[in-house]
Every structure is written in structure tokens, then in C-alpha cells.
Amino acid sequence: MLPISIRTKFHSIEGLEWGNPQGIPILCFHGWLDNANSFAPLAPYFPEYRFISIDFPGHGKSSHKPENTVYYFAEYALEIVSIVQSLGLEDFILMAHSMGAAISTLVAGTNLLKIKKLILIEALGPLTNVSQSAPDIMSEAIKQILHPRGKKETYFPDMESAITIRLRAGDMNENSASLLMERGIEKTPRGLKPRRDIRLHFNSFFRYTEEQVVSFCERIECPTLLILGDKSNFPIANAFPNRKSAIKNLSEVILSGGHHLHMDHPEKVAHVIHQFLNEDTPKDTQ
């Protein structure tokens, strides 16, 4: 494992790299409030590939946005494209989890990048709202940003406390939470503090409509694998039929596990990914 640093037009991006530097690249993006260690359990199963995992801006060791600004969901799509161009990647495999998978769905739909195959874990596009709710969503976001009640920095006396809090926030095992905290916590004079930018907790100014997300799905040209956990807090298996039917070449696999199944059960997840990479269609697994 080697640390990598990338300077895009907007951010200093940090990440991790494993495997064969001359191999086909697999570029990985994590979920909301996670970091590049999200893919550390999977990396050893892909030694023949150039396996890269990235910290999104405001997450892990990547830079935060300047003061007096906020984060916009769509900007992450811009950042993925910028990172790929900075790395000079073509015909690469894009793999992502949760928020990263939601954004990667949009990125693949722009056709700006030469994506060989797309692997989405526990998300297929972002959350949506009906267009009539847009004024309320913007109103709540503005009020929250101007009057950020309760949005205070968190400090932990020790790593065990940080891991305990992370376990309460998501369905994952202790080893997975420990891995995320290992990269996601820094020492300060006041104690251990999350590296993530606290502004990530602010609501979005707007959400896409379902019709807009389906339009992105219709534009995805590369073979796509959707991996879901049967015990996830985000049940997608019976959701988004229009998105799924819109993607021309989509395979869906449901495995035993929760939202972070790629961390908790990397061997099972790696197996279906290898099937997908080596064949056109992976076999369904329960």
C-alpha cells in the first residue's frame, strides 16, 4: 500500500494505491463521511490491478473547501472527472460505495470518461425528490447554514470512543469501523477529532428529480454491476425499477451483509466482482 497525492484544479486529493502499477486501474470512491480506507479490505483481492482508493474533498486526508463556502453534491461529479484526468486514466474500472456510487452513476451518465466497467455498491444514483418539494428543500438548507444549531465539532478522549460512535451510525462490524476511524481521526490539543469537514452535515440546496436520474442512467454505456446487501439499512433491491431498466447492461447481485458489506465481507464481494470483470454477467448470489 502506498499513499498518493493528486492536485486537481480545486483540491489537494489524498488516497491509497495497491497492486500492480502497470495493471488495469480500478478507481474507488467511498460513501458519505467515510474515507479511502473503505476499500482497504477489498484491495488485497485484486493484486493484478492498479487499485486506487480516493478521499473525497472534505473527507479523510483530502483538503476541505475554503472558509465561508458549502458543499454541493454535484461538485463531487466534477471532482471525480478532475481526479481521473489528473491521473491520466483511460479504459479504467470505476468502483464506488454509497454516496460515491450515487455520484459515479451520474458521472458515468455524462460519458465524459472512458469507463471500462462500472461497479456500484449499495447505491444506484442519488436520493431524489418530487419537483414540488424544491422550495422547501432550499429553505431548510438556507436556514440550517445561516443558523447551524447543534453543528459543533466532536472530540473523543480515545480511539475506542470514536469507534463506538461510528458503530452506532452504521451497520458494520468493529474491524470495519476501526479501519475508517484509523484514517478519519486526527490528534488535536483538545483530543481526537474527525478529519471530515463539519459542513458535510449541512442539507443540500436541491435534489434531482427521479426523471433526471433516470436520464443519467439511460446514458450509461459501460457494463454495470450493482452489489447490494440483504441486511442493508438502505434497501435498494426492490427500489428504482426505472433506473435499473434504463441502464442498458446492468447486472444485480444481492449478497448477505449490510450497507458496508464490501468491508465486512470482502472475500464474497471480491468474488462477484471478479466474475463481472472476467465475464459479461456475474451469477446471482444470495
Side-chain angles (χ1 to χ4, degrees):
M1 179 184 71
L2 294 172
I4 60 171
S5 298
I6 305 160
R7 181 66 202 179
T8 69
K9 188 174 183 179
F10 306 99
H11 285 281
S12 296
I13 299 296
E14 301 297 323
L16 299 167
E17 182 171 337
W18 297 261
N20 177 8
Q22 307 305 319
I24 296 172
I26 299 178
L27 183 62
C28 305
F29 290 94
H30 59 79
W32 182 61
L33 301 184
D34 288 349
N35 54 63
N37 271 5
S38 177
F39 290 92
L42 270 179
Y45 294 94
F46 297 88
E48 68 274 34
Y49 292 87
R50 184 187 178 193
F51 196 98
I52 305 167
S53 184
I54 295 295
D55 290 328
F56 271 125
H59 297 75
K61 298 183 179 182
S62 289
S63 64
H64 294 187
K65 292 194 73 171
E67 290 186 19
N68 306 316
T69 59
V70 294
Y71 289 83
Y72 295 93
F73 185 84
E75 289 179 342
Y76 288 117
L78 168 65
E79 205 59 41
I80 287 180
V81 175
S82 297
I83 289 166
V84 170
Q85 292 180 348
S86 296
L87 290 170
L89 301 183
E90 292 189 355
D91 294 324
F92 69 100
I93 297 152
L94 179 58
M95 175 157 58
H97 170 247
S98 194
M99 182 188 82
I103 299 160
S104 295
T105 304
L106 304 183
V107 170
T110 67
N111 294 313
L112 289 171
L113 302 174
K114 294 182 178 180
I115 302 171
K116 189 180 184 72
K117 291 194 174 184
L118 176 64
I119 301 166
L120 305 173
I121 303 172
E122 281 286 291
L124 180 61
L127 296 173
T128 58
N129 280 100
V130 295
S131 57
Q132 291 85 347
S133 66
D136 295 328
I137 291 172
M138 180 174 288
S139 174
E140 286 302 312
I142 290 172
K143 288 189 290 185
Q144 187 183 70
I145 291 167
L146 292 180
H147 307 286
R149 298 181 182 89
K151 301 297 180 184
K152 296 181 179 179
E153 196 53 85
T154 304
Y155 294 89
F156 303 103
D158 50 49
M159 185 61 79
E160 288 72 23
S161 301
I163 293 169
T164 298
I165 294 298
R166 186 64 185 85
L167 284 169
R168 292 177 188 169
D171 51 346
M172 69 179 75
N173 66 36
E174 187 171 346
N175 288 338
S176 299
S178 179
L179 258 179
L180 291 175
M181 291 298 96
E182 177 185 299
R183 189 172 179 86
I185 292 289
E186 61 182 347
K187 291 182 179 180
T188 75
R190 293 183 58 184
L192 299 178
K193 182 179 80 70
R195 282 198 170 102
R196 59 91 186 96
D197 194 328
I198 197 169
R199 290 171 292 180
L200 294 171
H201 290 277
F202 292 147
N203 290 352
S204 297
F205 276 87
F206 73 94
R207 286 182 177 174
Y208 295 92
T209 65
E210 189 62 24
E211 292 79 9
Q212 288 174 322
V213 174
V214 169
S215 294
F216 280 93
C217 292
E218 289 173 343
R219 298 283 189 93
I220 296 175
E221 299 292 342
C222 60
T224 302
L225 172 64
L226 176 63
I227 301 175
L228 305 174
D230 65 353
K231 299 176 182 66
S232 173
N233 291 334
F234 303 89
I236 300 174
N238 297 315
F240 308 132
N242 291 339
R243 300 187 194 188
K244 292 176 182 178
S245 62
I247 298 176
K248 301 174 183 66
N249 189 354
L250 175 69
S251 300
E252 179 179 343
V253 175
I254 301 173
L255 297 174
S256 176
H259 187 56
H260 285 79
L261 73 163
H262 66 300
M263 297 189 73
D264 293 342
H265 309 290
E267 184 175 2
K268 290 192 296 185
V269 174
H271 176 70
V272 298
I273 292 174
H274 274 293
Q275 283 187 316
F276 174 66
L277 296 180
N278 295 329
E279 305 170 7
D280 287 336
T281 306
K283 297 177 176 62
D284 289 342
T285 307
Q286 296 286 345

